[in-house]
């Protein structure tokens, strides 16, 4: 008998003992559409009540466990490494609202944050408002949604989901006694208090998880008898209720992906009649904020990247609108904040956020806040007080951890309040930069990069490339302590800012949706090829990642160019777009028509 080498024998025995990858049963479903015949062999897998679906998922998990078993020790090492960069006991920066300072904190060993406040000053005793760790006891899951305190500071309206299906229930808590009111209202989305400290407005969802109705509730009454304030019949539109920063008005918004419409009500008159600012018009988006007797309205009436208009609150129709800030093709106005003495504009230029303050809300008194890095992200944060002189925002980059700043809108002074502590992290060891790939149609595609300063750019490094590219949502240059487990092992971490996202304005979104969706895929492929061509890494070590609509992107590029990628990571991937868009019974599908067709 011939001698069998030990390595070959081991490999043969392993192959004999390896489980077979699970194969789902084929149950063909055929759909006729516009003369096309669509065949789906796996439509049955969407039925979560079918025991065979659960069996198949369990088989997939078991097979995954077997495949990944040799990496178990390495997985644990990575987990402990990533955990070591998280400061488990930490406190968020307190913000002021109505005579109290509110904040949340975390404690080592506890899974959820603890929400607290102090009355009058930061040296005052702490009061725990909600401890999600206590609330999670006996539950498989716990998520906090709305968190709205009444004007007098005595009552908290909040929502929680304990099933993980974004199904939130509304509760009201007496913050003096800690007792819950008898109200318990299911499937609530947004919540807002009237000025009388006893009237709540809230939205509820329909069978497709679309927030479609607004109700008015008076504390102590039976929710079953709550008056219906508004119902949105058009299934493309979702309703939201909110309170203005001035606290003078309540807003009722009804919006689709491309169109919006607002009504308003004096918060001191909760039983009054809601007034329409401007009736909806297809593809017209507008968003109001109030300051005294003026509305400041961000609108795309003159162009896709928005302008800002003013209108009197007493007569807010479009015929009374006057231009404050013009539309500019090179700059997207993402947000506009109005305070008693100043206004703030959050814009995006060349894919980079910009922040400008207007003294007295006058364009001629503008001051732009400069930031030192070429690639970063910033957003407003916890600006609850209308008469505030300080503007709070959160800044971060791929190198700089999340940092909270207060900016004095009068003097121009900027103060860092807190930079998130990342144990063991040395920002001076890393570098971020922006490069550009060229798409097949000649368009320049931005890519944000993060790597160690001592990395040899010899084309041998690994590349971890992430992308999204849908809904006009940017793929921002955020800080992530987890990615340093990749970067410290000699890889380049990259974010491709492909069309379909919002990095370069609304036209960037338009160029990557509906009939233009393929641009999203070809942009991403161009980004990957550019990084390889320029020597940032090796094709043998190119891994790509996307989640949800970014998972759709991953599915597309993996099929278009399977030889280009060494690995593809897909989180909750939305890869069955046609079948999904054909089924209006699925949650939120009808509203998605304006993104996918």
């Amino acid at each position: 008998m011939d001698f069998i080498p030990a390595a070959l024998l081991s490999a043969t025995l392993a192959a004999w003992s390896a489980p077979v990858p699970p194969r789902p049963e084929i149950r063909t479903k055929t759909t006729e559409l516009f003369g096309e015949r669509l065949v789906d062999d796996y439509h049955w897998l969407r039925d979560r009540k079918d025991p065979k679906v659960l069996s198949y998922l369990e088989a997939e998990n078991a097979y995954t466990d077997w495949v990944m078993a040799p990496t178990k020790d390495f997985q644990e090492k990575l987990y402990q490494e990533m955990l070591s960069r998280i400061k488990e006991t930490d406190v968020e920066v307190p913000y002021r609202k109505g005579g109290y300072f509110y904040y949340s904190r975390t404690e080592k060993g506890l899974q959820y944050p603890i929400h607290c406040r102090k009355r009058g000053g930061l040296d005052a005793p702490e009061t725990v408002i909600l401890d999600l760790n206590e609330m999670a006891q006996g539950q498989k899951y716990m998520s906090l949604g709305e968190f709205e305190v009444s004007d007098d500071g005595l009552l908290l309206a909040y929502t929680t989901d304990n099933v993980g299906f974004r199904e939130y229930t509304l509760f009201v808590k007496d913050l003096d006694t800690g007792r819950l009111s008898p109200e318990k209202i299911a499937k609530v989305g947004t919540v807002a208090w009237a000025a009388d400290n006893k009237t709540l407005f809230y939205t509820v969802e329909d069978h497709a998880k679309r927030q479609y109705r607004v109700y008015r509730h008076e504390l102590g009454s039976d929710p079953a008898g709550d008056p219906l304030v508004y119902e949105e019949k058009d299934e493309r539109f979702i309703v939201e209720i909110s309170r203005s920063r001035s606290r003078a008005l309540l807003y009722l918004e009804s919006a689709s992906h491309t169109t919006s419409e607002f009504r308003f009500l004096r918060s001191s008159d909760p039983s009054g009649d809601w007034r329409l600012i401007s009736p909806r018009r297809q593809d017209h988006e507008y968003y109001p904020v109030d300051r005294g007797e003026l509305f400041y309205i961000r609108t795309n009436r003159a162009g896709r990247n928005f302008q800002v208009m003013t209108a009197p609150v007493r007569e807010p129709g479009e015929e009374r609108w006057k231009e404050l800030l013009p539309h500019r093709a090179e700059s997207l106005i993402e947000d506009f904040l109005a305070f008693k003495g100043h206004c703030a504009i959050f814009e995006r230029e060349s894919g980079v956020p910009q922040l400008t303050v207007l003294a007295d809300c006058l364009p001629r008194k503008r001051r732009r806040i400069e930031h030192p890095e070429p690639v970063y992200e910033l957003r407003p944060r916890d600006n609850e007080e209308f008469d505030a002189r300080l503007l709070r925002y959160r800044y971060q980059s791929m190198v700089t951890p999340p940092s909270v700043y207060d900016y004095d809108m009068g003097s121009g002074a900027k103060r860092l309040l807190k930079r998130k502590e990342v144990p063991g992290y040395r920002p001076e060891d890393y570098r971020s930069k922006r490069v550009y790939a060229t798409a097949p149609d000649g368009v320049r595609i931005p890519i944000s990069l993060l790597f160690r300063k001592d990395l040899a750019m010899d084309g041998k490094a690994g590349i971890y490339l992430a992308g999204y590219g849908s809904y006009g949502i940017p793929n921002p240059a955020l800080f992530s302590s987890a990615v340093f487990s990749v970067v410290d092992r000699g890889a380049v971490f990259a974010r491709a800012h492909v069309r379909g996202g919002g990095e370069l304005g609304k036209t960037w979104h338009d160029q990557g949706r509906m009939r233009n969706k393929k641009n999203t895929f070809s942009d991403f492929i161009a980004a990957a090829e550019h990084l390889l061509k320029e020597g940032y890494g090796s094709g043998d070590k190119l891994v790509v990642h996307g989640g949800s609509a970014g998972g759709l992107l991953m599915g597309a590029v993996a099929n278009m160019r399977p030889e280009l990628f060494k690995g593809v990571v897909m989180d909750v991937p939305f890869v069955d777009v046609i079948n999904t868009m054909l089924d209006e019974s699925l949650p939120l599908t009808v509203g998605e028509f304006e993104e996918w067709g």
Side-chain angles (χ1 to χ4, degrees):
M1 186 176 182
D2 293 338
F3 175 74
I4 301 176
L8 176 61
L9 178 60
S10 177
T12 303
L13 292 174
W16 286 345
S17 61
V20 177
R23 294 285 183 266
E25 177 184 341
I26 292 177
R27 302 182 196 174
T28 301
K29 181 180 184 295
T30 303
T31 304
E32 299 286 340
L33 181 68
F34 306 125
E36 298 277 349
R37 184 169 176 267
L38 308 178
V39 177
D40 184 358
D41 290 334
Y42 307 109
H43 182 268
W44 65 275
L45 284 171
R46 58 175 287 183
D47 184 2
R48 293 183 296 172
K49 296 180 181 179
D50 186 337
K52 288 189 176 181
V53 172
L54 181 59
S55 296
Y56 172 69
L57 293 176
E58 289 173 342
E60 285 278 13
N61 288 337
Y63 181 73
T64 300
D65 290 343
W66 182 84
V67 170
M68 298 299 291
T71 70
K72 190 174 181 180
D73 290 343
F74 186 50
Q75 289 181 52
E76 179 63 22
K77 181 180 181 180
L78 287 175
Y79 172 74
Q80 294 300 331
E81 196 173 282
M82 294 175 186
L83 189 64
S84 72
R85 296 193 199 98
I86 298 173
K87 187 180 179 183
E88 294 186 72
T89 300
D90 205 358
V91 182
E92 294 293 320
V93 178
Y95 64 90
R96 184 168 189 150
K97 183 178 181 180
Y100 292 88
F101 285 90
Y102 293 85
Y103 59 96
S104 65
R105 56 182 176 83
T106 54
E107 294 183 6
K108 186 174 182 178
L110 298 181
Q111 185 173 359
Y112 298 103
I114 302 165
H115 294 266
C116 311
R117 73 177 182 181
K118 295 182 178 182
R119 184 171 186 171
L122 295 177
D123 294 331
E126 176 184 270
T127 299
V128 174
I129 302 175
L130 291 178
D131 185 340
L132 295 188
N133 301 284
E134 291 183 0
M135 295 161 61
Q137 291 182 13
Q139 309 288 344
K140 294 181 179 179
Y141 178 82
M142 179 56 63
S143 173
L144 179 66
E146 294 290 277
F147 184 94
E148 296 292 337
V149 179
S150 59
D151 289 19
D152 60 10
L154 299 180
L155 299 168
L156 171 67
Y158 68 95
T159 61
T160 58
D161 168 24
N162 60 5
V163 296
F165 194 50
R166 288 184 292 178
E167 191 167 292
Y168 289 90
T169 301
L170 171 64
F171 301 91
V172 178
K173 184 175 183 179
D174 186 314
L175 295 180
D176 269 353
T177 66
R179 290 195 295 266
L180 292 180
S181 297
E183 288 87 356
K184 183 180 178 181
I185 306 174
K187 299 184 177 181
V188 168
T190 52
V191 177
W193 286 99
D196 62 2
N197 302 304
K198 65 178 182 179
T199 304
L200 266 177
F201 292 88
Y202 61 93
T203 64
V204 296
E205 67 183 41
D206 64 8
H207 67 283
K209 298 195 73 61
R210 176 181 70 101
Q211 297 292 320
Y212 79 120
R213 283 179 175 173
V214 180
Y215 288 95
R216 184 179 73 244
H217 175 72
E218 188 168 323
L219 293 186
S221 64
D222 184 354
D226 286 349
L228 176 65
V229 171
Y230 179 81
E231 180 174 2
E232 179 54 67
K233 303 287 189 182
D234 191 329
E235 293 186 41
R236 297 175 302 154
F237 285 74
I238 292 175
V239 296
E240 290 188 10
I241 193 80
S242 62
R243 183 87 173 270
S244 71
R245 180 175 292 104
S246 72
R247 314 299 287 169
L249 301 180
L250 289 150
Y251 289 120
L252 194 166
E253 175 188 2
S254 187
S256 73
H257 282 294
T258 64
T259 306
S260 66
E261 179 181 69
F262 277 80
R263 291 167 172 79
F264 69 97
L265 177 71
R266 295 282 179 184
S267 59
S268 58
D269 184 22
S271 298
D273 295 327
W274 291 80
R275 294 181 59 197
L276 182 65
I277 292 179
S278 179
R280 72 182 62 172
R281 188 170 67 251
Q282 181 61 37
D283 296 326
H284 180 212
E285 294 179 70
Y286 70 93
Y287 304 94
V289 294
D290 57 282
R291 179 174 177 260
E293 290 305 312
L294 273 185
F295 281 124
Y296 291 75
I297 301 170
R298 187 170 64 94
T299 167
N300 69 350
R301 189 173 74 169
R304 290 290 284 139
N305 279 347
F306 291 90
Q307 63 184 148
V308 177
M309 313 286 279
T310 62
V313 172
R314 66 182 182 278
E315 296 181 70
E318 282 192 60
E319 68 279 0
R320 302 295 301 275
W321 292 11
K322 294 181 180 180
E323 184 176 87
L324 180 78
L325 298 172
H327 171 268
R328 295 193 297 149
E330 69 275 12
S331 177
L332 169 66
I333 301 176
E334 284 191 312
D335 204 355
F336 186 91
L337 277 59
F339 297 87
K340 187 175 182 179
H342 303 79
C343 289
I345 317 159
F346 288 81
E347 300 170 278
R348 208 171 272 274
E349 294 179 1
S350 300
V352 179
Q354 303 291 345
L355 172 56
T356 302
V357 169
L358 306 180
D360 301 320
C361 290
L362 297 175
R364 59 184 172 82
K365 295 184 177 181
R366 66 170 61 220
R367 184 193 291 126
R368 175 160 284 186
I369 303 173
E370 300 297 332
H371 299 92
E373 297 176 275
V375 183
Y376 59 86
E377 184 67 18
L378 65 85
R379 297 298 304 161
R381 166 111 182 206
D382 300 328
N383 293 287
E384 298 289 344
E385 297 278 290
F386 179 62
D387 60 355
R389 184 182 178 90
L390 300 176
L391 170 69
R392 181 165 294 182
Y393 65 92
R394 177 167 159 157
Y395 172 95
Q396 61 184 303
S397 75
M398 297 172 81
V399 171
T400 303
S403 309
V404 178
Y405 286 89
D406 269 351
Y407 178 81
D408 191 313
M409 292 182 282
S411 69
K414 180 172 67 173
R415 185 163 72 101
L416 174 63
L417 301 178
K418 178 176 181 176
R419 178 160 290 152
K420 191 172 185 65
E421 184 181 336
V422 182
Y425 173 65
R426 288 165 40 92
E428 61 270 22
D429 292 341
Y430 305 93
R431 182 185 173 198
S432 68
K433 65 184 291 188
R434 171 68 56 83
V435 298
Y436 291 86
T438 302
D441 60 358
V443 173
R444 297 177 78 217
I445 310 303
I447 311 168
S448 297
L449 302 180
L450 168 70
F451 50 88
R452 288 189 63 90
K453 286 183 178 178
D454 58 5
L455 180 66
M457 292 297 178
D458 54 7
K460 297 180 181 179
I463 300 176
Y464 191 91
L465 175 63
Y468 187 73
S470 292
Y471 302 106
I473 298 173
N475 181 22
L478 301 178
F479 182 86
S480 169
S481 63
V483 303
F484 291 98
S485 286
V486 174
V487 174
D488 285 343
R489 286 174 169 81
V492 173
F493 176 66
R495 295 183 186 272
H497 306 291
V498 296
R499 282 174 285 183
E503 288 87 342
L504 274 75
K506 282 291 187 178
T507 55
W508 198 250
H509 176 205
D510 294 339
Q511 291 169 22
R513 71 181 180 100
M514 306 290 274
R515 290 182 181 273
N516 298 322
K517 190 61 197 171
K518 284 188 177 179
N519 285 334
T520 306
F521 312 146
S522 56
D523 286 358
F524 190 85
I525 291 170
E529 290 178 329
H530 177 82
L531 295 178
L532 297 177
K533 179 183 176 183
E534 295 300 313
Y536 286 102
S538 165
D540 291 335
K541 301 175 185 176
L542 172 58
V543 175
V544 293
H545 173 222
S548 192
L552 163 68
L553 169 61
M554 295 302 107
V557 300
N559 278 278
M560 292 167 70
R561 292 290 304 278
E563 81 288 353
L564 185 59
F565 309 109
K566 187 67 173 179
V568 181
V569 181
M570 307 164 73
D571 294 334
V572 288
F574 178 39
V575 289
D576 199 10
V577 177
I578 292 177
N579 273 333
T580 301
M581 291 296 102
L582 288 175
D583 190 346
E584 297 183 13
S585 71
L586 292 174
L588 304 178
T589 292
V590 174
E592 302 284 291
F593 289 166
E594 293 178 323
E595 178 72 18
W596 308 105

